[in-house]
Amino acid sequence: MGSLCPNLDLNPASLSPVPKSFTKPTSKLFSLGLNCRKTQKFRVKLTQALNERKFSGQSNYGCSMAVNENLVKWVGRGVLGFAAAVSICCDSPAFAESLTVAFPVSHTLEVNIVQRTLVEAWGLIRETFIDPTFNHQDWDLKLQQTMVEMFPLRSEDAAYSKVKGMLSTLGDPFTRIISPKEYQSFRIGSDGNLQGVGLFINVEPETGHLVVLSCIQNSPAARAGIHEGDELMEINGERLDGVAGEAAAQKLRGRVGTTVTIKVNSVDNFGSSRIREVKVPREIIKLSPVSSAIIPHKGPDGHLSKTGYVKLSTFSQSAATEMEHTIYAMENQGVQSYILDLRNNPGGLVKAGLDVAQIWLDGNETLVNTIDRNGDMLPINMIDGHAITHDPLVVLVNEGSASASEILAGALHDNGRAILVGHRTFGKGKIQSVTELHDGSALFITVAKYLSPALHDIDQIGIAPDVQCTTDFLNSPKDSFKDGNSASSLESDSCILVAEHQLDIQESKGSAS
């Protein structure tokens, strides 16, 4: 695996309730006039459609550009539950009439296909982007300008650069387009298996450098000594300056048995940096999102108990199911308290995060509050939830805990279910949808922002823990233990020691009451 996108929150299947503003049918039509060689107009109508692809258009001069009517085919389990396509026009009087945008159609097939892709992307953004001002610019005019700039181009790459440049004017780094090949890799990563080296990477916002968020345990990258925080400088001799996370991840992936040469810059605990090159073999990486262990724990009264340690590395489609199986197994083994480790978990599917929250919560609790482009807030609540366990719970977080991790941590904390231990989280309080476009590429759009159940703003702020801990690994007299597969060093993790102390406090309060 090269990377999962750590800054994306995605989707499949709807989650009730669904905001009415995104599912209200409309019969309004939206037309695009595409100029052909003799200035005749090719008109494309974009209308309401559910789970189907329909194309319409006509031209007296053989110029045609089919546009997918199913413009909002939400891939995944979006927290907002976008289950239906919507028309381009909204109910605002400003858009009550059809709009015609004229632009020249390229005679280069590759560029023509990208023009069609841009029409799809433009329409989706026009309807759903979180900022209805589009960063205070005329979004319709932007389409026309970009199409004119694309007309003389002769390559797909050059045309896609124009599309990416247009999306960058929105001022939102999370709204972007990725190529068909990159999207296939992303989908495989969300499903569970990849051929690669086992790294989670992301672009550091302040420096623009590609850094390692974490390594899959026992992966080729981990065995090569690549660690969290290392900067990736080159892949196979190619500099990574300005290279996006998905593009770098694609370079790391490849056929099993091949190798990739990675130049990394590592900084030790004393601030000294060391640049080195390592050759890393590619292997099949199984992305099991959950790892666990049982920690024998001696309380202040000398009583020996069992604490269940559960590490959740990403919110893939299987995360909630695997978490549920793990908790049931631990309950059967007599576990009496839990530590849920979300450190360096970059996020993933929002729905997976909400499903995990429901493993720990009862009733009709609010899991998260979403705010749409109109500023309307919608709470997402459980419906008659039943927690698997009510044992004391501590959640570990740090600056690498982002997105769906922050939604989960906020849900458990604000509903009084868990104590947070660690460091302030990353601070990504926006939700993206992902739509597969007609050419197999994918468009990610920021469609909403979210607040915690207690209405705390998370975006660019993060969540502060109740108790901080150091990141040191300590020498501990405690006996080591195994999780069934490999020796564990959890007993020397200072944050886990702090978490165990907090569990002792919770248990003593429970005994006193």
Side-chain angles (χ1 to χ4, degrees):
M1 181 187 71
S3 163
L4 290 184
C5 296
N7 54 355
L8 294 178
D9 279 313
L10 310 173
N11 8 66
S14 59
L15 176 71
S16 181
V18 178
K20 296 180 179 179
S21 60
F22 286 94
T23 58
K24 184 176 181 180
T26 174
S27 60
K28 291 184 174 65
L29 300 180
F30 184 83
S31 299
L32 293 173
L34 308 187
N35 281 350
C36 294
R37 292 182 64 183
K38 297 187 179 182
T39 70
Q40 298 294 320
K41 289 184 176 180
F42 167 75
R43 299 182 67 79
V44 181
K45 294 180 179 180
L46 308 180
T47 60
Q48 174 79 9
L50 294 178
N51 299 324
E52 61 182 321
R53 291 177 179 266
K54 294 182 179 179
F55 302 93
S56 63
Q58 59 185 15
S59 169
N60 295 331
Y61 292 88
C63 297
S64 64
M65 182 176 286
V67 177
N68 181 5
E69 283 183 305
N70 187 11
L71 287 179
V72 187
K73 178 186 177 184
W74 304 103
V75 179
R77 296 181 177 86
V79 62
L80 298 179
F82 300 105
V86 296
S87 70
I88 287 297
C89 278
C90 40
D91 291 329
S92 167
F95 300 128
E97 298 181 0
S98 296
L99 174 67
T100 298
V101 178
F103 53 83
V105 177
S106 173
H107 302 296
T108 302
L109 177 60
E110 293 83 358
V111 176
N112 183 271
I113 292 173
V114 180
Q115 283 185 309
R116 181 161 41 138
T117 299
L118 176 55
V119 170
E120 288 187 275
W122 167 80
L124 282 162
I125 290 169
R126 193 176 191 273
E127 177 65 23
T128 63
F129 184 56
I130 184 66
D131 176 12
T133 73
F134 308 104
N135 201 20
H136 305 286
Q137 64 180 336
D138 187 332
W139 190 237
D140 301 333
L141 178 61
K142 198 70 181 175
L143 171 67
Q144 190 170 33
Q145 292 173 339
T146 305
M147 285 293 191
V148 170
E149 293 174 1
M150 290 171 66
F151 179 71
L153 302 178
R154 292 293 178 264
S155 73
E156 176 183 316
D157 289 343
Y160 260 108
S161 293
K162 289 295 183 183
V163 177
K164 293 177 180 179
M166 178 178 171
L167 300 187
S168 70
T169 67
L170 293 168
D172 174 37
F174 304 119
T175 297
R176 64 196 192 284
I177 194 169
I178 62 174
S179 70
K181 183 180 292 186
E182 290 170 336
Y183 180 50
Q184 286 302 314
S185 296
F186 172 82
R187 292 181 63 182
I188 292 171
S190 294
D191 291 342
N193 291 299
L194 279 177
Q195 297 182 21
V197 300
L199 285 179
F200 288 93
I201 60 177
N202 192 27
V203 176
E204 209 284 324
E206 293 184 1
T207 65
H209 296 162
L210 280 168
V211 296
V212 175
L213 285 180
S214 62
C215 287
I216 300 294
Q217 187 176 10
N218 295 323
S219 67
R223 296 197 303 270
I226 298 177
H227 299 101
E228 169 197 342
D230 286 355
E231 176 192 345
L232 301 188
M233 303 179 67
E234 294 181 4
I235 297 176
N236 287 334
E238 181 181 343
R239 294 285 301 176
L240 297 177
D241 299 332
V243 175
E246 291 92 351
Q250 186 62 37
K251 296 177 188 298
L252 292 172
R253 300 183 186 114
R255 185 168 50 85
V256 170
T258 60
T259 62
V260 57
T261 302
I262 307 172
K263 180 179 284 188
V264 297
N265 184 13
S266 304
V267 179
D268 61 26
N269 294 332
F270 302 100
S272 299
S273 62
R274 180 168 66 101
I275 297 176
R276 58 195 177 95
E277 273 191 357
V278 291
K279 287 189 175 182
V280 186
R282 296 183 175 102
E283 299 176 0
I284 294 177
I285 308 296
K286 180 166 179 56
L287 301 175
S288 178
V290 176
S291 57
S292 62
I294 295 179
I295 305 174
H297 175 59
K298 183 177 293 186
D301 59 356
H303 175 69
L304 188 65
S305 62
K306 295 180 179 179
T307 296
Y309 170 83
V310 184
K311 169 74 173 178
L312 184 59
S313 60
T314 187
F315 291 89
S316 64
Q317 292 183 14
S318 64
T321 300
E322 292 196 34
M323 173 75 71
E324 185 175 346
H325 292 162
T326 298
I327 301 306
Y328 274 124
M330 287 187 166
E331 286 291 293
N332 291 334
Q333 295 178 68
V335 165
Q336 297 165 293
S337 60
Y338 289 90
I339 298 172
L340 174 58
D341 193 345
L342 299 180
R343 290 176 296 179
N344 299 315
N345 182 325
L349 305 176
V350 170
K351 181 59 164 57
L354 299 178
D355 286 345
V356 171
Q358 295 181 80
I359 292 173
W360 304 94
L361 292 169
D362 285 321
N364 302 313
E365 302 285 11
T366 296
L367 300 177
V368 70
N369 295 287
T370 64
I371 300 177
D372 64 19
R373 63 188 286 169
N374 299 315
D376 297 327
M377 186 168 70
L378 176 77
I380 304 297
N381 298 329
M382 295 194 308
I383 300 175
D384 192 26
H386 296 281
I388 294 177
T389 176
H390 298 93
D391 292 333
L393 173 66
V394 167
V395 176
L396 300 181
V397 294
N398 67 0
E399 57 279 355
S401 306
S403 220
S405 288
E406 293 172 293
I407 289 178
L408 175 58
L412 298 177
H413 178 267
D414 288 2
N415 286 299
R417 181 64 181 88
I419 298 293
L420 300 186
V421 169
H423 297 271
R424 185 178 292 272
T425 61
F426 182 83
K428 180 178 178 290
K430 293 176 180 175
I431 298 173
Q432 282 72 48
S433 69
V434 57
T435 303
E436 182 177 352
L437 304 181
H438 78 282
D439 65 347
S441 61
L443 177 69
F444 299 90
I445 308 175
T446 297
V447 294
K449 67 177 296 184
Y450 63 82
L451 305 179
S452 75
L455 303 182
H456 295 140
D457 196 351
I458 295 171
D459 196 45
Q460 299 183 25
I461 298 173
I463 300 174
D466 298 298
V467 181
Q468 287 195 338
C469 62
T470 69
T471 57
D472 298 331
F473 281 79
L474 310 175
N475 293 322
S476 171
K478 295 173 59 175
D479 294 332
S480 62
F481 58 92
K482 296 188 177 182
D483 59 10
N485 295 315
S486 60
S488 173
S489 59
L490 297 177
E491 72 278 3
S492 63
D493 185 329
S494 65
C495 290
I496 291 179
L497 296 179
V498 172
E500 289 180 323
H501 178 65
Q502 291 299 314
L503 290 172
D504 287 339
I505 294 174
Q506 290 187 57
E507 290 173 358
S508 64
K509 287 182 178 179
S511 301
S513 61

